Amino acid sequence: MKTSCTLCILITTVLLHLFLIPAPSAALLDPTTVSSVDIVLDDSDYIRSSCKTTLYPDTCYHSLNHYATAVQQDPGRLARVAIGVSLAKAKRMSAFVSNLSREADYGAQPRAVAALHDCFSVFGDAVDQIRDSLRQMRTLGGSSESLRFQMSNVQTWMSAALSNEDTCTDGFEDVSDDEPLKLDVCNRAGKVKEVTSNALAFINSFANKL
């Protein structure tokens, strides 16, 4: 009798444990959860593979991978996002040069100061040109001929912006390499030129598909 009661207790305990074990989460059983992860990975891979076609693939991937889900493997969106990143960096550079130019009138080499003021001017132009490019990309539409014309405008403006950014660093060629002002400005401007160059590469690639 005692053995029978002990057996009953064991069976009851096992059954209670079975019923108390939580069921698998619905999210774990939902196939769409796995799919969404796969999509994120695919989008990230798309950014990486696209960036390999640019002159600065590492800069490209690190600056754009954050926007992988927004791009969604769309070359038009990729170009637009790349322009937006370029605009943000160019605006920060313009603000930096503006602040620096007010402080550099004292102590820096006269040639460096002159180059800095020129840099401020051309970066202001670059910001306007990149902004025009982004505005055009956001309003693309119409016939194939119209689209090609609009993209031609974007290519022209972004090329001009990159040229202006080059002009900034070119202005420091006659300044000695040990001038801190030159090192700081040229290093920062170089990073902006990289993202602008990458954006232009995506613009040209997209335009060729139209």
PDB file of all heavy atoms in Angstrom, residues 104-143:
ATOM      1  N   ALA A 104      41.561  81.212 -36.018  1.00  0.00           N
ATOM      2  CA  ALA A 104      42.852  80.966 -36.666  1.00  0.00           C
ATOM      3  C   ALA A 104      43.551  82.237 -37.129  1.00  0.00           C
ATOM      4  O   ALA A 104      44.653  82.173 -37.661  1.00  0.00           O
ATOM      5  CB  ALA A 104      42.662  80.038 -37.857  1.00  0.00           C
ATOM      6  N   ASP A 105      42.915  83.390 -36.958  1.00  0.00           N
ATOM      7  CA  ASP A 105      43.537  84.634 -37.380  1.00  0.00           C
ATOM      8  C   ASP A 105      44.739  84.982 -36.507  1.00  0.00           C
ATOM      9  O   ASP A 105      45.498  85.892 -36.814  1.00  0.00           O
ATOM     10  CB  ASP A 105      42.525  85.771 -37.344  1.00  0.00           C
ATOM     11  CG  ASP A 105      41.450  85.602 -38.410  1.00  0.00           C
ATOM     12  OD1 ASP A 105      41.724  84.948 -39.433  1.00  0.00           O
ATOM     13  OD2 ASP A 105      40.350  86.112 -38.192  1.00  0.00           O
ATOM     14  N   TYR A 106      44.859  84.268 -35.403  1.00  0.00           N
ATOM     15  CA  TYR A 106      45.950  84.546 -34.488  1.00  0.00           C
ATOM     16  C   TYR A 106      46.851  83.319 -34.363  1.00  0.00           C
ATOM     17  O   TYR A 106      46.402  82.260 -33.961  1.00  0.00           O
ATOM     18  CB  TYR A 106      45.407  84.910 -33.100  1.00  0.00           C
ATOM     19  CG  TYR A 106      44.360  85.988 -33.137  1.00  0.00           C
ATOM     20  CD1 TYR A 106      43.006  85.656 -33.114  1.00  0.00           C
ATOM     21  CD2 TYR A 106      44.714  87.335 -33.219  1.00  0.00           C
ATOM     22  CE1 TYR A 106      42.031  86.643 -33.161  1.00  0.00           C
ATOM     23  CE2 TYR A 106      43.742  88.321 -33.268  1.00  0.00           C
ATOM     24  CZ  TYR A 106      42.410  87.974 -33.239  1.00  0.00           C
ATOM     25  OH  TYR A 106      41.445  88.945 -33.294  1.00  0.00           O
ATOM     26  N   GLY A 107      48.130  83.489 -34.717  1.00  0.00           N
ATOM     27  CA  GLY A 107      49.096  82.427 -34.481  1.00  0.00           C
ATOM     28  C   GLY A 107      49.368  81.512 -35.653  1.00  0.00           C
ATOM     29  O   GLY A 107      50.464  80.972 -35.766  1.00  0.00           O
ATOM     30  N   ALA A 108      48.407  81.284 -36.521  1.00  0.00           N
ATOM     31  CA  ALA A 108      48.612  80.365 -37.645  1.00  0.00           C
ATOM     32  C   ALA A 108      49.359  81.076 -38.773  1.00  0.00           C
ATOM     33  O   ALA A 108      49.412  82.303 -38.846  1.00  0.00           O
ATOM     34  CB  ALA A 108      47.281  79.837 -38.150  1.00  0.00           C
ATOM     35  N   GLN A 109      49.928  80.286 -39.667  1.00  0.00           N
ATOM     36  CA  GLN A 109      50.609  80.850 -40.820  1.00  0.00           C
ATOM     37  C   GLN A 109      49.619  81.622 -41.688  1.00  0.00           C
ATOM     38  O   GLN A 109      48.483  81.167 -41.891  1.00  0.00           O
ATOM     39  CB  GLN A 109      51.241  79.736 -41.659  1.00  0.00           C
ATOM     40  CG  GLN A 109      52.321  78.936 -40.969  1.00  0.00           C
ATOM     41  CD  GLN A 109      52.851  77.824 -41.859  1.00  0.00           C
ATOM     42  OE1 GLN A 109      52.692  77.845 -43.079  1.00  0.00           O
ATOM     43  NE2 GLN A 109      53.482  76.831 -41.246  1.00  0.00           N
ATOM     44  N   PRO A 110      50.026  82.788 -42.211  1.00  0.00           N
ATOM     45  CA  PRO A 110      49.112  83.579 -43.054  1.00  0.00           C
ATOM     46  C   PRO A 110      48.548  82.783 -44.225  1.00  0.00           C
ATOM     47  O   PRO A 110      47.368  82.914 -44.566  1.00  0.00           O
ATOM     48  CB  PRO A 110      49.996  84.739 -43.540  1.00  0.00           C
ATOM     49  CG  PRO A 110      51.025  84.875 -42.472  1.00  0.00           C
ATOM     50  CD  PRO A 110      51.299  83.484 -41.983  1.00  0.00           C
ATOM     51  N   ARG A 111      49.392  81.940 -44.847  1.00  0.00           N
ATOM     52  CA  ARG A 111      48.900  81.134 -45.974  1.00  0.00           C
ATOM     53  C   ARG A 111      47.838  80.138 -45.509  1.00  0.00           C
ATOM     54  O   ARG A 111      46.878  79.861 -46.226  1.00  0.00           O
ATOM     55  CB  ARG A 111      50.066  80.389 -46.624  1.00  0.00           C
ATOM     56  CG  ARG A 111      50.988  81.277 -47.442  1.00  0.00           C
ATOM     57  CD  ARG A 111      52.070  80.448 -48.122  1.00  0.00           C
ATOM     58  NE  ARG A 111      52.955  81.269 -48.938  1.00  0.00           N
ATOM     59  CZ  ARG A 111      54.001  80.802 -49.601  1.00  0.00           C
ATOM     60  NH1 ARG A 111      54.281  79.493 -49.556  1.00  0.00           N
ATOM     61  NH2 ARG A 111      54.764  81.602 -50.323  1.00  0.00           N
ATOM     62  N   ALA A 112      48.038  79.586 -44.318  1.00  0.00           N
ATOM     63  CA  ALA A 112      47.076  78.626 -43.772  1.00  0.00           C
ATOM     64  C   ALA A 112      45.750  79.305 -43.482  1.00  0.00           C
ATOM     65  O   ALA A 112      44.673  78.742 -43.726  1.00  0.00           O
ATOM     66  CB  ALA A 112      47.633  77.983 -42.507  1.00  0.00           C
ATOM     67  N   VAL A 113      45.825  80.522 -42.959  1.00  0.00           N
ATOM     68  CA  VAL A 113      44.603  81.277 -42.658  1.00  0.00           C
ATOM     69  C   VAL A 113      43.850  81.595 -43.950  1.00  0.00           C
ATOM     70  O   VAL A 113      42.621  81.464 -44.025  1.00  0.00           O
ATOM     71  CB  VAL A 113      44.936  82.575 -41.890  1.00  0.00           C
ATOM     72  CG1 VAL A 113      43.680  83.419 -41.704  1.00  0.00           C
ATOM     73  CG2 VAL A 113      45.556  82.247 -40.540  1.00  0.00           C
ATOM     74  N   ALA A 114      44.587  82.010 -44.980  1.00  0.00           N
ATOM     75  CA  ALA A 114      43.952  82.321 -46.262  1.00  0.00           C
ATOM     76  C   ALA A 114      43.303  81.072 -46.855  1.00  0.00           C
ATOM     77  O   ALA A 114      42.171  81.122 -47.370  1.00  0.00           O
ATOM     78  CB  ALA A 114      44.989  82.886 -47.233  1.00  0.00           C
ATOM     79  N   ALA A 115      43.998  79.942 -46.760  1.00  0.00           N
ATOM     80  CA  ALA A 115      43.454  78.682 -47.278  1.00  0.00           C
ATOM     81  C   ALA A 115      42.208  78.279 -46.496  1.00  0.00           C
ATOM     82  O   ALA A 115      41.252  77.737 -47.067  1.00  0.00           O
ATOM     83  CB  ALA A 115      44.505  77.584 -47.198  1.00  0.00           C
ATOM     84  N   LEU A 116      42.224  78.543 -45.207  1.00  0.00           N
ATOM     85  CA  LEU A 116      41.074  78.202 -44.366  1.00  0.00           C
ATOM     86  C   LEU A 116      39.841  78.999 -44.773  1.00  0.00           C
ATOM     87  O   LEU A 116      38.737  78.447 -44.864  1.00  0.00           O
ATOM     88  CB  LEU A 116      41.413  78.458 -42.904  1.00  0.00           C
ATOM     89  CG  LEU A 116      40.306  78.156 -41.897  1.00  0.00           C
ATOM     90  CD1 LEU A 116      39.985  76.657 -41.876  1.00  0.00           C
ATOM     91  CD2 LEU A 116      40.722  78.616 -40.498  1.00  0.00           C
ATOM     92  N   HIS A 117      40.029  80.296 -45.019  1.00  0.00           N
ATOM     93  CA  HIS A 117      38.894  81.122 -45.439  1.00  0.00           C
ATOM     94  C   HIS A 117      38.355  80.668 -46.793  1.00  0.00           C
ATOM     95  O   HIS A 117      37.133  80.662 -47.012  1.00  0.00           O
ATOM     96  CB  HIS A 117      39.308  82.597 -45.481  1.00  0.00           C
ATOM     97  CG  HIS A 117      39.485  83.216 -44.132  1.00  0.00           C
ATOM     98  ND1 HIS A 117      38.465  83.304 -43.217  1.00  0.00           N
ATOM     99  CD2 HIS A 117      40.570  83.766 -43.529  1.00  0.00           C
ATOM    100  CE1 HIS A 117      38.895  83.896 -42.119  1.00  0.00           C
ATOM    101  NE2 HIS A 117      40.180  84.176 -42.282  1.00  0.00           N
ATOM    102  N   ASP A 118      39.258  80.304 -47.700  1.00  0.00           N
ATOM    103  CA  ASP A 118      38.814  79.776 -48.993  1.00  0.00           C
ATOM    104  C   ASP A 118      38.054  78.468 -48.805  1.00  0.00           C
ATOM    105  O   ASP A 118      37.049  78.203 -49.490  1.00  0.00           O
ATOM    106  CB  ASP A 118      40.020  79.545 -49.917  1.00  0.00           C
ATOM    107  CG  ASP A 118      40.645  80.842 -50.384  1.00  0.00           C
ATOM    108  OD1 ASP A 118      39.977  81.891 -50.301  1.00  0.00           O
ATOM    109  OD2 ASP A 118      41.826  80.806 -50.814  1.00  0.00           O
ATOM    110  N   CYS A 119      38.541  77.642 -47.879  1.00  0.00           N
ATOM    111  CA  CYS A 119      37.900  76.361 -47.591  1.00  0.00           C
ATOM    112  C   CYS A 119      36.469  76.572 -47.091  1.00  0.00           C
ATOM    113  O   CYS A 119      35.551  75.846 -47.472  1.00  0.00           O
ATOM    114  CB  CYS A 119      38.724  75.609 -46.553  1.00  0.00           C
ATOM    115  SG  CYS A 119      38.223  73.904 -46.312  1.00  0.00           S
ATOM    116  N   PHE A 120      36.305  77.571 -46.240  1.00  0.00           N
ATOM    117  CA  PHE A 120      34.969  77.878 -45.735  1.00  0.00           C
ATOM    118  C   PHE A 120      34.031  78.262 -46.875  1.00  0.00           C
ATOM    119  O   PHE A 120      32.875  77.827 -46.928  1.00  0.00           O
ATOM    120  CB  PHE A 120      35.044  79.015 -44.717  1.00  0.00           C
ATOM    121  CG  PHE A 120      33.705  79.542 -44.298  1.00  0.00           C
ATOM    122  CD1 PHE A 120      32.812  78.757 -43.581  1.00  0.00           C
ATOM    123  CD2 PHE A 120      33.318  80.835 -44.637  1.00  0.00           C
ATOM    124  CE1 PHE A 120      31.577  79.232 -43.203  1.00  0.00           C
ATOM    125  CE2 PHE A 120      32.086  81.318 -44.258  1.00  0.00           C
ATOM    126  CZ  PHE A 120      31.205  80.531 -43.541  1.00  0.00           C
ATOM    127  N   SER A 121      34.544  79.041 -47.819  1.00  0.00           N
ATOM    128  CA  SER A 121      33.721  79.480 -48.952  1.00  0.00           C
ATOM    129  C   SER A 121      33.309  78.314 -49.838  1.00  0.00           C
ATOM    130  O   SER A 121      32.123  78.168 -50.182  1.00  0.00           O
ATOM    131  CB  SER A 121      34.504  80.513 -49.770  1.00  0.00           C
ATOM    132  OG  SER A 121      33.783  80.892 -50.928  1.00  0.00           O
ATOM    133  N   VAL A 122      34.273  77.452 -50.199  1.00  0.00           N
ATOM    134  CA  VAL A 122      33.952  76.362 -51.128  1.00  0.00           C
ATOM    135  C   VAL A 122      33.106  75.277 -50.457  1.00  0.00           C
ATOM    136  O   VAL A 122      32.287  74.629 -51.123  1.00  0.00           O
ATOM    137  CB  VAL A 122      35.232  75.742 -51.737  1.00  0.00           C
ATOM    138  CG1 VAL A 122      35.953  76.772 -52.596  1.00  0.00           C
ATOM    139  CG2 VAL A 122      36.155  75.178 -50.669  1.00  0.00           C
ATOM    140  N   PHE A 123      33.268  75.100 -49.161  1.00  0.00           N
ATOM    141  CA  PHE A 123      32.431  74.115 -48.481  1.00  0.00           C
ATOM    142  C   PHE A 123      30.989  74.620 -48.364  1.00  0.00           C
ATOM    143  O   PHE A 123      30.043  73.822 -48.369  1.00  0.00           O
ATOM    144  CB  PHE A 123      32.983  73.754 -47.103  1.00  0.00           C
ATOM    145  CG  PHE A 123      33.599  72.382 -47.070  1.00  0.00           C
ATOM    146  CD1 PHE A 123      34.963  72.218 -47.219  1.00  0.00           C
ATOM    147  CD2 PHE A 123      32.810  71.253 -46.946  1.00  0.00           C
ATOM    148  CE1 PHE A 123      35.542  70.953 -47.219  1.00  0.00           C
ATOM    149  CE2 PHE A 123      33.365  69.981 -46.952  1.00  0.00           C
ATOM    150  CZ  PHE A 123      34.734  69.828 -47.089  1.00  0.00           C
ATOM    151  N   GLY A 124      30.827  75.922 -48.270  1.00  0.00           N
ATOM    152  CA  GLY A 124      29.478  76.474 -48.295  1.00  0.00           C
ATOM    153  C   GLY A 124      28.800  76.176 -49.625  1.00  0.00           C
ATOM    154  O   GLY A 124      27.614  75.805 -49.670  1.00  0.00           O
ATOM    155  N   ASP A 125      29.562  76.312 -50.708  1.00  0.00           N
ATOM    156  CA  ASP A 125      29.027  75.978 -52.025  1.00  0.00           C
ATOM    157  C   ASP A 125      28.714  74.489 -52.130  1.00  0.00           C
ATOM    158  O   ASP A 125      27.698  74.087 -52.707  1.00  0.00           O
ATOM    159  CB  ASP A 125      30.035  76.366 -53.118  1.00  0.00           C
ATOM    160  CG  ASP A 125      30.219  77.868 -53.236  1.00  0.00           C
ATOM    161  OD1 ASP A 125      29.309  78.612 -52.805  1.00  0.00           O
ATOM    162  OD2 ASP A 125      31.276  78.302 -53.740  1.00  0.00           O
ATOM    163  N   ALA A 126      29.612  73.664 -51.578  1.00  0.00           N
ATOM    164  CA  ALA A 126      29.413  72.211 -51.639  1.00  0.00           C
ATOM    165  C   ALA A 126      28.138  71.803 -50.915  1.00  0.00           C
ATOM    166  O   ALA A 126      27.378  70.949 -51.388  1.00  0.00           O
ATOM    167  CB  ALA A 126      30.617  71.489 -51.040  1.00  0.00           C
ATOM    168  N   VAL A 127      27.890  72.411 -49.768  1.00  0.00           N
ATOM    169  CA  VAL A 127      26.665  72.111 -49.008  1.00  0.00           C
ATOM    170  C   VAL A 127      25.434  72.430 -49.846  1.00  0.00           C
ATOM    171  O   VAL A 127      24.484  71.639 -49.910  1.00  0.00           O
ATOM    172  CB  VAL A 127      26.640  72.894 -47.682  1.00  0.00           C
ATOM    173  CG1 VAL A 127      25.261  72.822 -47.041  1.00  0.00           C
ATOM    174  CG2 VAL A 127      27.691  72.340 -46.717  1.00  0.00           C
ATOM    175  N   ASP A 128      25.442  73.582 -50.501  1.00  0.00           N
ATOM    176  CA  ASP A 128      24.300  73.970 -51.345  1.00  0.00           C
ATOM    177  C   ASP A 128      24.106  72.977 -52.494  1.00  0.00           C
ATOM    178  O   ASP A 128      22.968  72.606 -52.828  1.00  0.00           O
ATOM    179  CB  ASP A 128      24.511  75.376 -51.913  1.00  0.00           C
ATOM    180  CG  ASP A 128      24.416  76.458 -50.842  1.00  0.00           C
ATOM    181  OD1 ASP A 128      23.808  76.188 -49.778  1.00  0.00           O
ATOM    182  OD2 ASP A 128      24.963  77.555 -51.063  1.00  0.00           O
ATOM    183  N   GLN A 129      25.191  72.550 -53.091  1.00  0.00           N
ATOM    184  CA  GLN A 129      25.107  71.633 -54.231  1.00  0.00           C
ATOM    185  C   GLN A 129      24.614  70.245 -53.806  1.00  0.00           C
ATOM    186  O   GLN A 129      23.805  69.616 -54.507  1.00  0.00           O
ATOM    187  CB  GLN A 129      26.469  71.554 -54.912  1.00  0.00           C
ATOM    188  CG  GLN A 129      26.847  72.826 -55.648  1.00  0.00           C
ATOM    189  CD  GLN A 129      28.345  73.046 -55.774  1.00  0.00           C
ATOM    190  OE1 GLN A 129      29.141  72.367 -55.119  1.00  0.00           O
ATOM    191  NE2 GLN A 129      28.731  73.990 -56.617  1.00  0.00           N
ATOM    192  N   ILE A 130      25.092  69.783 -52.672  1.00  0.00           N
ATOM    193  CA  ILE A 130      24.632  68.475 -52.191  1.00  0.00           C
ATOM    194  C   ILE A 130      23.172  68.556 -51.767  1.00  0.00           C
ATOM    195  O   ILE A 130      22.393  67.624 -52.010  1.00  0.00           O
ATOM    196  CB  ILE A 130      25.506  68.003 -51.009  1.00  0.00           C
ATOM    197  CG1 ILE A 130      26.959  67.842 -51.457  1.00  0.00           C
ATOM    198  CG2 ILE A 130      24.997  66.668 -50.462  1.00  0.00           C
ATOM    199  CD1 ILE A 130      27.930  67.562 -50.324  1.00  0.00           C
ATOM    200  N   ARG A 131      22.787  69.665 -51.177  1.00  0.00           N
ATOM    201  CA  ARG A 131      21.391  69.841 -50.782  1.00  0.00           C
ATOM    202  C   ARG A 131      20.476  69.854 -52.015  1.00  0.00           C
ATOM    203  O   ARG A 131      19.397  69.251 -52.008  1.00  0.00           O
ATOM    204  CB  ARG A 131      21.223  71.149 -49.997  1.00  0.00           C
ATOM    205  CG  ARG A 131      19.799  71.356 -49.466  1.00  0.00           C
ATOM    206  CD  ARG A 131      19.656  72.676 -48.756  1.00  0.00           C
ATOM    207  NE  ARG A 131      20.355  72.702 -47.487  1.00  0.00           N
ATOM    208  CZ  ARG A 131      21.387  73.483 -47.203  1.00  0.00           C
ATOM    209  NH1 ARG A 131      21.878  74.309 -48.130  1.00  0.00           N
ATOM    210  NH2 ARG A 131      21.957  73.456 -46.009  1.00  0.00           N
ATOM    211  N   ASP A 132      20.923  70.519 -53.082  1.00  0.00           N
ATOM    212  CA  ASP A 132      20.149  70.520 -54.328  1.00  0.00           C
ATOM    213  C   ASP A 132      20.028  69.094 -54.884  1.00  0.00           C
ATOM    214  O   ASP A 132      18.972  68.701 -55.401  1.00  0.00           O
ATOM    215  CB  ASP A 132      20.812  71.426 -55.365  1.00  0.00           C
ATOM    216  CG  ASP A 132      20.647  72.901 -55.039  1.00  0.00           C
ATOM    217  OD1 ASP A 132      19.746  73.241 -54.244  1.00  0.00           O
ATOM    218  OD2 ASP A 132      21.440  73.718 -55.574  1.00  0.00           O
ATOM    219  N   SER A 133      21.103  68.330 -54.777  1.00  0.00           N
ATOM    220  CA  SER A 133      21.084  66.951 -55.263  1.00  0.00           C
ATOM    221  C   SER A 133      20.076  66.112 -54.494  1.00  0.00           C
ATOM    222  O   SER A 133      19.312  65.338 -55.084  1.00  0.00           O
ATOM    223  CB  SER A 133      22.482  66.333 -55.129  1.00  0.00           C
ATOM    224  OG  SER A 133      23.426  67.035 -55.894  1.00  0.00           O
ATOM    225  N   LEU A 134      20.084  66.263 -53.186  1.00  0.00           N
ATOM    226  CA  LEU A 134      19.164  65.488 -52.358  1.00  0.00           C
ATOM    227  C   LEU A 134      17.717  65.888 -52.630  1.00  0.00           C
ATOM    228  O   LEU A 134      16.824  65.026 -52.712  1.00  0.00           O
ATOM    229  CB  LEU A 134      19.493  65.703 -50.880  1.00  0.00           C
ATOM    230  CG  LEU A 134      18.686  64.864 -49.883  1.00  0.00           C
ATOM    231  CD1 LEU A 134      18.858  63.376 -50.149  1.00  0.00           C
ATOM    232  CD2 LEU A 134      19.104  65.198 -48.451  1.00  0.00           C
ATOM    233  N   ARG A 135      17.488  67.158 -52.806  1.00  0.00           N
ATOM    234  CA  ARG A 135      16.133  67.632 -53.102  1.00  0.00           C
ATOM    235  C   ARG A 135      15.635  67.056 -54.431  1.00  0.00           C
ATOM    236  O   ARG A 135      14.488  66.630 -54.545  1.00  0.00           O
ATOM    237  CB  ARG A 135      16.120  69.165 -53.151  1.00  0.00           C
ATOM    238  CG  ARG A 135      14.724  69.767 -53.319  1.00  0.00           C
ATOM    239  CD  ARG A 135      14.777  71.282 -53.375  1.00  0.00           C
ATOM    240  NE  ARG A 135      15.283  71.855 -52.135  1.00  0.00           N
ATOM    241  CZ  ARG A 135      16.426  72.522 -52.021  1.00  0.00           C
ATOM    242  NH1 ARG A 135      17.193  72.705 -53.092  1.00  0.00           N
ATOM    243  NH2 ARG A 135      16.802  73.019 -50.868  1.00  0.00           N
ATOM    244  N   GLN A 136      16.517  67.016 -55.409  1.00  0.00           N
ATOM    245  CA  GLN A 136      16.146  66.454 -56.710  1.00  0.00           C
ATOM    246  C   GLN A 136      15.867  64.960 -56.605  1.00  0.00           C
ATOM    247  O   GLN A 136      14.909  64.453 -57.204  1.00  0.00           O
ATOM    248  CB  GLN A 136      17.262  66.703 -57.725  1.00  0.00           C
ATOM    249  CG  GLN A 136      16.977  66.209 -59.127  1.00  0.00           C
ATOM    250  CD  GLN A 136      15.968  67.062 -59.863  1.00  0.00           C
ATOM    251  OE1 GLN A 136      16.303  68.034 -60.507  1.00  0.00           O
ATOM    252  NE2 GLN A 136      14.698  66.699 -59.754  1.00  0.00           N
ATOM    253  N   MET A 137      16.683  64.242 -55.840  1.00  0.00           N
ATOM    254  CA  MET A 137      16.484  62.800 -55.675  1.00  0.00           C
ATOM    255  C   MET A 137      15.163  62.486 -54.994  1.00  0.00           C
ATOM    256  O   MET A 137      14.554  61.439 -55.248  1.00  0.00           O
ATOM    257  CB  MET A 137      17.630  62.205 -54.869  1.00  0.00           C
ATOM    258  CG  MET A 137      18.945  62.073 -55.612  1.00  0.00           C
ATOM    259  SD  MET A 137      18.878  60.882 -56.988  1.00  0.00           S
ATOM    260  CE  MET A 137      18.602  59.343 -56.105  1.00  0.00           C
ATOM    261  N   ARG A 138      14.712  63.372 -54.143  1.00  0.00           N
ATOM    262  CA  ARG A 138      13.458  63.157 -53.420  1.00  0.00           C
ATOM    263  C   ARG A 138      12.230  63.438 -54.282  1.00  0.00           C
ATOM    264  O   ARG A 138      11.114  63.073 -53.913  1.00  0.00           O
ATOM    265  CB  ARG A 138      13.412  64.041 -52.175  1.00  0.00           C
ATOM    266  CG  ARG A 138      14.339  63.578 -51.059  1.00  0.00           C
ATOM    267  CD  ARG A 138      14.384  64.589 -49.934  1.00  0.00           C
ATOM    268  NE  ARG A 138      15.114  64.074 -48.776  1.00  0.00           N
ATOM    269  CZ  ARG A 138      15.485  64.821 -47.736  1.00  0.00           C
ATOM    270  NH1 ARG A 138      15.202  66.119 -47.720  1.00  0.00           N
ATOM    271  NH2 ARG A 138      16.131  64.278 -46.724  1.00  0.00           N
ATOM    272  N   THR A 139      12.438  64.090 -55.417  1.00  0.00           N
ATOM    273  CA  THR A 139      11.297  64.449 -56.261  1.00  0.00           C
ATOM    274  C   THR A 139      11.399  63.840 -57.660  1.00  0.00           C
ATOM    275  O   THR A 139      10.793  64.354 -58.604  1.00  0.00           O
ATOM    276  CB  THR A 139      11.177  65.988 -56.381  1.00  0.00           C
ATOM    277  OG1 THR A 139      12.405  66.519 -56.908  1.00  0.00           O
ATOM    278  CG2 THR A 139      10.905  66.616 -55.027  1.00  0.00           C
ATOM    279  N   LEU A 140      12.163  62.774 -57.799  1.00  0.00           N
ATOM    280  CA  LEU A 140      12.310  62.136 -59.112  1.00  0.00           C
ATOM    281  C   LEU A 140      10.958  61.653 -59.620  1.00  0.00           C
ATOM    282  O   LEU A 140      10.150  61.121 -58.882  1.00  0.00           O
ATOM    283  CB  LEU A 140      13.263  60.941 -59.024  1.00  0.00           C
ATOM    284  CG  LEU A 140      14.752  61.227 -58.817  1.00  0.00           C
ATOM    285  CD1 LEU A 140      15.513  59.916 -58.713  1.00  0.00           C
ATOM    286  CD2 LEU A 140      15.317  62.085 -59.946  1.00  0.00           C
ATOM    287  N   GLY A 141      10.726  61.836 -60.902  1.00  0.00           N
ATOM    288  CA  GLY A 141       9.477  61.360 -61.481  1.00  0.00           C
ATOM    289  C   GLY A 141       9.343  61.788 -62.923  1.00  0.00           C
ATOM    290  O   GLY A 141      10.153  62.545 -63.449  1.00  0.00           O
ATOM    291  N   GLY A 142       8.319  61.263 -63.575  1.00  0.00           N
ATOM    292  CA  GLY A 142       8.067  61.628 -64.954  1.00  0.00           C
ATOM    293  C   GLY A 142       8.518  60.561 -65.933  1.00  0.00           C
ATOM    294  O   GLY A 142       8.731  59.404 -65.568  1.00  0.00           O
ATOM    295  N   SER A 143       8.680  60.953 -67.154  1.00  0.00           N
ATOM    296  CA  SER A 143       9.070  60.032 -68.217  1.00  0.00           C
ATOM    297  C   SER A 143      10.528  59.615 -68.063  1.00  0.00           C
ATOM    298  O   SER A 143      11.277  60.184 -67.267  1.00  0.00           O
ATOM    299  CB  SER A 143       8.870  60.701 -69.577  1.00  0.00           C
ATOM    300  OG  SER A 143       9.737  61.818 -69.703  1.00  0.00           O
TER     301      SER A 143
END
